[in-house]
Amino acid sequence: MYNSKIIGIGKYVPDNVVTNQDLSKIMDTSDEWITERTGIKERRWVVEGSDDTTATMGVKAAKQAIERSGLDKDDIDFIIFATLSPDMYFPGPGVQVQHALDIKTVGALDVRNQCSGFIYALSVADNFIKTGMYKNILVIGSELHSHGLDKTTRGRGVSVIFGDGAGAVVVSREEDNSKGILSTHLHSQGEHAEELVVKAPGMGTRWVTDIIADNDENDDSYFPHMNGQFVFKNAVVRFSEVIMEGLIKNNLQKENIDMLIPHQANLRIAQFIQKKFGLTDDKVFNNIMRYGNTTAASIPLALCEAWEEGKINEGDTVVLAAFGSGFTWGSAIIKW
């Protein structure tokens, strides 16, 4: 059986920078309030009318990843796209990428696992390659949150957190089983599904026709809702558990971690995990300060920047971990 290995990484973020000071002009908040609770100083938001969408940002990140992999686009034999913010209700953006890149008629799969979406997508790619079904898989995480946020004081607890952007990797066959993705670990706990949720539009709750018929200006069912303290408390526990699960599976210790890249949900969560695992600053990469929480894009965005800055090198043990809506969470242990 083969291993899989990341051989190309790419990213894309919109040009438009929105600072905490900018947000304080449109809602009752402040730089101090946001920074203290999240660690975020700024984020990128797509400008209304821009050509940037979840799919097109994913395409831009994918082009960079394919170029850096040394492969041709027609070497890609499967596409996996993780997002909670597709351009259309259906079809998903995977097929849009296939069309935009003019790739032959390969399969395209969309993953809806929110903050852990990229880990789930990477796990699917890893196992497709390990079984020999595919050789080169394009995995994308991309989000356009800004058009769907409540940018008033009512929504400040959520809206200040999220940003737009995309990241992508090319995952390819590796015959040396000591290299590449060593293992992935996935979990869920649906009893907490409504602690971090967008309820509408949904066929089982309120569809678009219901929203239009009610015409209720106070209806917030189609904006994100988050029980912040509850999510935080669960996140720090599940992050720790799933990282340890991966280390134990591969007979590794905390001291063997060369780079931890956590999902960029909240800088305070990342700092808690860093302290718990006794990792120095050079062994944890965070960029939430600049981009906010980009959900499925956050890990590939951070992974790309860490690699570009020379903080990930051949032979390093890299740990990816995420937790989010569902609840779902997961980790990946990689020998670079």
Side-chain angles (χ1 to χ4, degrees), residues 89 198-208 210-211 221-222:
Y89 197 82
V198 176
K199 287 189 175 182
M203 297 297 187
T205 52
R206 289 168 52 73
W207 186 236
V208 176
D210 302 308
I211 296 170
S221 63
Y222 45 83

PDB file of all heavy atoms in Angstrom, residues 89 198-208 210-211 221-222:
ATOM      1  N   TYR A  89     -26.158  26.906  -4.025  1.00  0.00           N
ATOM      2  CA  TYR A  89     -26.648  25.873  -3.112  1.00  0.00           C
ATOM      3  C   TYR A  89     -26.269  24.501  -3.651  1.00  0.00           C
ATOM      4  O   TYR A  89     -25.836  23.627  -2.914  1.00  0.00           O
ATOM      5  CB  TYR A  89     -28.160  26.001  -2.933  1.00  0.00           C
ATOM      6  CG  TYR A  89     -28.677  25.256  -1.725  1.00  0.00           C
ATOM      7  CD1 TYR A  89     -28.600  25.817  -0.457  1.00  0.00           C
ATOM      8  CD2 TYR A  89     -29.236  23.991  -1.861  1.00  0.00           C
ATOM      9  CE1 TYR A  89     -29.063  25.134   0.654  1.00  0.00           C
ATOM     10  CE2 TYR A  89     -29.702  23.297  -0.751  1.00  0.00           C
ATOM     11  CZ  TYR A  89     -29.612  23.878   0.508  1.00  0.00           C
ATOM     12  OH  TYR A  89     -30.065  23.186   1.607  1.00  0.00           O
ATOM     13  N   VAL A 198     -25.639  27.705  11.230  1.00  0.00           N
ATOM     14  CA  VAL A 198     -26.499  28.573  10.424  1.00  0.00           C
ATOM     15  C   VAL A 198     -27.728  27.729  10.099  1.00  0.00           C
ATOM     16  O   VAL A 198     -27.641  26.771   9.330  1.00  0.00           O
ATOM     17  CB  VAL A 198     -25.802  29.044   9.132  1.00  0.00           C
ATOM     18  CG1 VAL A 198     -26.769  29.857   8.280  1.00  0.00           C
ATOM     19  CG2 VAL A 198     -24.574  29.879   9.461  1.00  0.00           C
ATOM     20  N   LYS A 199     -28.886  28.072  10.680  1.00  0.00           N
ATOM     21  CA  LYS A 199     -30.066  27.209  10.579  1.00  0.00           C
ATOM     22  C   LYS A 199     -30.804  27.332   9.254  1.00  0.00           C
ATOM     23  O   LYS A 199     -31.481  26.393   8.818  1.00  0.00           O
ATOM     24  CB  LYS A 199     -31.031  27.525  11.725  1.00  0.00           C
ATOM     25  CG  LYS A 199     -30.568  27.023  13.075  1.00  0.00           C
ATOM     26  CD  LYS A 199     -31.688  27.174  14.107  1.00  0.00           C
ATOM     27  CE  LYS A 199     -31.273  26.562  15.435  1.00  0.00           C
ATOM     28  NZ  LYS A 199     -32.363  26.664  16.443  1.00  0.00           N
ATOM     29  N   ALA A 200     -30.742  28.485   8.640  1.00  0.00           N
ATOM     30  CA  ALA A 200     -31.534  28.697   7.427  1.00  0.00           C
ATOM     31  C   ALA A 200     -30.664  29.336   6.340  1.00  0.00           C
ATOM     32  O   ALA A 200     -29.694  30.026   6.654  1.00  0.00           O
ATOM     33  CB  ALA A 200     -32.737  29.581   7.736  1.00  0.00           C
ATOM     34  N   PRO A 201     -30.986  29.092   5.061  1.00  0.00           N
ATOM     35  CA  PRO A 201     -32.102  28.261   4.630  1.00  0.00           C
ATOM     36  C   PRO A 201     -31.770  26.773   4.729  1.00  0.00           C
ATOM     37  O   PRO A 201     -30.639  26.365   4.436  1.00  0.00           O
ATOM     38  CB  PRO A 201     -32.300  28.674   3.170  1.00  0.00           C
ATOM     39  CG  PRO A 201     -30.930  29.100   2.726  1.00  0.00           C
ATOM     40  CD  PRO A 201     -30.289  29.722   3.937  1.00  0.00           C
ATOM     41  N   GLY A 202     -32.746  25.994   5.155  1.00  0.00           N
ATOM     42  CA  GLY A 202     -32.578  24.550   5.258  1.00  0.00           C
ATOM     43  C   GLY A 202     -33.902  23.874   5.015  1.00  0.00           C
ATOM     44  O   GLY A 202     -34.943  24.358   5.468  1.00  0.00           O
ATOM     45  N   MET A 203     -33.878  22.775   4.306  1.00  0.00           N
ATOM     46  CA  MET A 203     -35.123  22.071   3.972  1.00  0.00           C
ATOM     47  C   MET A 203     -35.851  21.584   5.230  1.00  0.00           C
ATOM     48  O   MET A 203     -37.076  21.467   5.249  1.00  0.00           O
ATOM     49  CB  MET A 203     -34.823  20.879   3.065  1.00  0.00           C
ATOM     50  CG  MET A 203     -34.221  21.269   1.722  1.00  0.00           C
ATOM     51  SD  MET A 203     -35.366  22.279   0.745  1.00  0.00           S
ATOM     52  CE  MET A 203     -34.475  22.374  -0.808  1.00  0.00           C
ATOM     53  N   GLY A 204     -35.105  21.300   6.291  1.00  0.00           N
ATOM     54  CA  GLY A 204     -35.715  20.785   7.508  1.00  0.00           C
ATOM     55  C   GLY A 204     -36.061  21.862   8.509  1.00  0.00           C
ATOM     56  O   GLY A 204     -36.621  21.557   9.574  1.00  0.00           O
ATOM     57  N   THR A 205     -35.720  23.105   8.217  1.00  0.00           N
ATOM     58  CA  THR A 205     -35.999  24.201   9.158  1.00  0.00           C
ATOM     59  C   THR A 205     -36.781  25.298   8.454  1.00  0.00           C
ATOM     60  O   THR A 205     -37.998  25.259   8.368  1.00  0.00           O
ATOM     61  CB  THR A 205     -34.685  24.749   9.747  1.00  0.00           C
ATOM     62  OG1 THR A 205     -33.769  25.072   8.677  1.00  0.00           O
ATOM     63  CG2 THR A 205     -34.022  23.730  10.664  1.00  0.00           C
ATOM     64  N   ARG A 206     -36.085  26.277   7.948  1.00  0.00           N
ATOM     65  CA  ARG A 206     -36.723  27.394   7.234  1.00  0.00           C
ATOM     66  C   ARG A 206     -36.095  27.525   5.857  1.00  0.00           C
ATOM     67  O   ARG A 206     -34.909  27.787   5.732  1.00  0.00           O
ATOM     68  CB  ARG A 206     -36.523  28.695   8.017  1.00  0.00           C
ATOM     69  CG  ARG A 206     -37.328  28.770   9.291  1.00  0.00           C
ATOM     70  CD  ARG A 206     -36.864  29.944  10.154  1.00  0.00           C
ATOM     71  NE  ARG A 206     -36.825  31.216   9.460  1.00  0.00           N
ATOM     72  CZ  ARG A 206     -37.899  31.930   9.114  1.00  0.00           C
ATOM     73  NH1 ARG A 206     -39.107  31.469   9.366  1.00  0.00           N
ATOM     74  NH2 ARG A 206     -37.783  33.098   8.510  1.00  0.00           N
ATOM     75  N   TRP A 207     -36.923  27.328   4.849  1.00  0.00           N
ATOM     76  CA  TRP A 207     -36.424  27.480   3.483  1.00  0.00           C
ATOM     77  C   TRP A 207     -36.598  28.937   3.050  1.00  0.00           C
ATOM     78  O   TRP A 207     -37.196  29.761   3.748  1.00  0.00           O
ATOM     79  CB  TRP A 207     -37.131  26.510   2.540  1.00  0.00           C
ATOM     80  CG  TRP A 207     -36.559  26.518   1.148  1.00  0.00           C
ATOM     81  CD1 TRP A 207     -37.212  26.748  -0.007  1.00  0.00           C
ATOM     82  CD2 TRP A 207     -35.185  26.317   0.789  1.00  0.00           C
ATOM     83  NE1 TRP A 207     -36.345  26.705  -1.080  1.00  0.00           N
ATOM     84  CE2 TRP A 207     -35.089  26.442  -0.612  1.00  0.00           C
ATOM     85  CE3 TRP A 207     -34.025  26.050   1.507  1.00  0.00           C
ATOM     86  CZ2 TRP A 207     -33.895  26.315  -1.315  1.00  0.00           C
ATOM     87  CZ3 TRP A 207     -32.829  25.921   0.804  1.00  0.00           C
ATOM     88  CH2 TRP A 207     -32.773  26.045  -0.578  1.00  0.00           C
ATOM     89  N   VAL A 208     -36.052  29.290   1.911  1.00  0.00           N
ATOM     90  CA  VAL A 208     -36.088  30.661   1.409  1.00  0.00           C
ATOM     91  C   VAL A 208     -37.526  31.179   1.322  1.00  0.00           C
ATOM     92  O   VAL A 208     -37.803  32.339   1.645  1.00  0.00           O
ATOM     93  CB  VAL A 208     -35.407  30.744   0.031  1.00  0.00           C
ATOM     94  CG1 VAL A 208     -35.531  32.142  -0.544  1.00  0.00           C
ATOM     95  CG2 VAL A 208     -33.943  30.329   0.137  1.00  0.00           C
ATOM     96  N   ASP A 210     -40.011  30.472   3.216  1.00  0.00           N
ATOM     97  CA  ASP A 210     -40.471  30.828   4.564  1.00  0.00           C
ATOM     98  C   ASP A 210     -39.918  32.185   4.992  1.00  0.00           C
ATOM     99  O   ASP A 210     -40.627  33.001   5.587  1.00  0.00           O
ATOM    100  CB  ASP A 210     -40.037  29.759   5.572  1.00  0.00           C
ATOM    101  CG  ASP A 210     -40.561  28.386   5.227  1.00  0.00           C
ATOM    102  OD1 ASP A 210     -41.783  28.275   5.012  1.00  0.00           O
ATOM    103  OD2 ASP A 210     -39.753  27.444   5.159  1.00  0.00           O
ATOM    104  N   ILE A 211     -38.643  32.401   4.697  1.00  0.00           N
ATOM    105  CA  ILE A 211     -37.995  33.666   5.062  1.00  0.00           C
ATOM    106  C   ILE A 211     -38.663  34.828   4.339  1.00  0.00           C
ATOM    107  O   ILE A 211     -38.956  35.880   4.933  1.00  0.00           O
ATOM    108  CB  ILE A 211     -36.489  33.602   4.729  1.00  0.00           C
ATOM    109  CG1 ILE A 211     -35.810  32.528   5.587  1.00  0.00           C
ATOM    110  CG2 ILE A 211     -35.833  34.960   4.946  1.00  0.00           C
ATOM    111  CD1 ILE A 211     -34.378  32.225   5.177  1.00  0.00           C
ATOM    112  N   SER A 221     -32.058  33.793  11.565  1.00  0.00           N
ATOM    113  CA  SER A 221     -31.837  32.357  11.375  1.00  0.00           C
ATOM    114  C   SER A 221     -30.837  32.056  10.271  1.00  0.00           C
ATOM    115  O   SER A 221     -30.250  30.974  10.234  1.00  0.00           O
ATOM    116  CB  SER A 221     -33.166  31.648  11.066  1.00  0.00           C
ATOM    117  OG  SER A 221     -33.725  32.117   9.845  1.00  0.00           O
ATOM    118  N   TYR A 222     -30.641  33.012   9.344  1.00  0.00           N
ATOM    119  CA  TYR A 222     -29.709  32.777   8.237  1.00  0.00           C
ATOM    120  C   TYR A 222     -28.342  33.420   8.492  1.00  0.00           C
ATOM    121  O   TYR A 222     -27.500  33.490   7.596  1.00  0.00           O
ATOM    122  CB  TYR A 222     -30.305  33.273   6.914  1.00  0.00           C
ATOM    123  CG  TYR A 222     -30.948  34.641   6.974  1.00  0.00           C
ATOM    124  CD1 TYR A 222     -30.191  35.785   6.860  1.00  0.00           C
ATOM    125  CD2 TYR A 222     -32.324  34.766   7.149  1.00  0.00           C
ATOM    126  CE1 TYR A 222     -30.775  37.047   6.920  1.00  0.00           C
ATOM    127  CE2 TYR A 222     -32.926  36.021   7.204  1.00  0.00           C
ATOM    128  CZ  TYR A 222     -32.146  37.150   7.097  1.00  0.00           C
ATOM    129  OH  TYR A 222     -32.726  38.402   7.151  1.00  0.00           O
TER     130      TYR A 222
END
